[in-house]
Amino acid sequence: MNITVLAGGISTERDVSLVSGMGVYKALKEKGYNVVLMDIFLGYEDVPDNIADIFTLDRDFAAEIKSISEDEPEIEAVKALRKDKSNALFGPNVIEICKASDIVFMALHGDCGENGKVQATFDLLGIKYTGTDYLSSALAMDKEITKLVFKQNGVSTPNGYVIHKGDEVNAIDDFPVVVKICNGGSSVGVYIVNNEEEYKETLDKAFKYEDKVLVEQFINGREFTDCVIEGEALPVVEIAPSDGFYDYKHKYQAGAAVETCPALIPESVTKAIQDEAIKAYNALGIKTYARMDFMMDDKTGKIYCLEANTLPGMTPTSLIPQEAKAIGKSYSDLCEWIIRISLDKYK
């Protein structure tokens, strides 16, 4: 089977995506597949005359991938690497290589791959890919729409409202609150705000990412996450950052957070989180797999679903591989599982 692992791009989660892609690429190579790892934005200039021959080249496509730094990537520097100077998302020969694949493993994160645009393009071109479809991707990517869908379908989620750039900003009486960009991931553009001065400063920061932000009820308590695959929930993970909250640094720097899987919680709490994860998965119309994030209020014990991730991380510190391991599946087995269920959706 010829598989393209698609990663990189020009979102703030570019580095995370590349490391996810590298892990998937190496795992599938070890399983004996013909695999190409490709940056969706940079593509490949130098390809064989018969494009399908790229899958059998004696080349390590992951050789130049580095680890994730503590800082977000400099996107303008990435754009400067593109020889044709185009701002088009699809780089040289990307579409052609994907067409020559039996399936594309989507290791993209953030607005480059999780907002449904790439999936919609592939649907039009007849390219098979892993993960859910374009519509559920788009619904889950936009936190404003996700919250509306959750509320309409009885999924418990924190209260919140959206502010658009240029809107009059009303004062807040009850701090802390969470301010987050509506289409981000990996906790990029997410802030816990404790007073009015911080609130105004934080909005300025958030509006540098995009033109609308979500102001959300702050839930003080324990953080959990749970993956749903083929409509079934995996073991729950509890996340305890070493300090602060589970931001970009804590997600991807080894030792910055303690992640316990399965979570050491009563069975009734585990079941409640898993049931809510499945409810969120179904509400958004997700197919194949996704990961849902939760907070449990310290005082009331109530569980709140924060969001759904339709292309969750596959890095060495990512959460889905930990959940799969807890049920006896290795990282490479997980990659094959995702490919199998994704191919099933085309039958």
Side-chain angles (χ1 to χ4, degrees), residues 46-209:
D46 185 20
V47 297
D49 291 336
N50 178 8
I51 203 110
D53 289 343
I54 195 170
F55 292 97
T56 54
L57 291 178
D58 183 15
R59 176 178 175 183
D60 182 2
F61 289 95
E64 297 181 3
I65 305 296
K66 300 177 182 178
S67 61
I68 305 168
S69 70
E70 292 187 10
D71 301 316
E72 299 163 30
E74 294 183 14
I75 301 304
E76 291 306 314
V78 174
K79 290 182 178 180
L81 298 173
R82 182 87 166 257
K83 291 181 180 179
D84 63 6
K85 303 306 177 186
S86 170
N87 283 323
L89 177 59
F90 295 102
N93 295 302
V94 168
I95 294 296
E96 290 77 10
I97 294 170
C98 289
K99 280 184 175 180
S101 311
D102 293 300
I103 192 166
V104 175
F105 196 110
M106 299 285 277
L108 297 164
H109 304 318
D111 60 7
C112 268
E114 287 189 83
N115 59 13
K117 292 180 181 180
V118 174
Q119 289 86 343
T121 301
F122 284 176
D123 284 343
L124 292 171
L125 295 173
I127 296 170
K128 295 177 181 177
Y129 56 88
T130 59
T132 193
D133 61 11
Y134 76 93
L135 181 57
S136 52
S137 296
L139 293 174
M141 187 66 193
D142 190 308
K143 293 180 179 64
E144 177 187 18
I145 295 174
T146 298
K147 193 170 289 292
L148 291 172
V149 171
F150 282 176
K151 286 182 176 293
Q152 289 171 352
N153 288 274
V155 180
S156 181
T157 190
N159 292 324
Y161 57 90
V162 165
I163 300 177
H164 292 83
K165 193 172 185 177
D167 285 354
E168 183 179 349
V169 178
N170 296 322
I172 293 179
D173 297 325
D174 190 14
F175 286 101
V177 295
V178 179
V179 173
K180 59 178 74 171
I181 59 176
C182 281
N183 290 280
S186 289
S187 296
V188 174
V190 178
Y191 312 91
I192 296 175
V193 180
N194 296 291
N195 56 57
E196 193 69 31
E197 184 179 354
E198 283 184 12
Y199 179 53
K200 292 177 181 177
E201 291 174 355
T202 298
L203 287 177
D204 289 339
K205 291 179 185 177
F207 282 132
K208 290 179 181 178
Y209 289 102

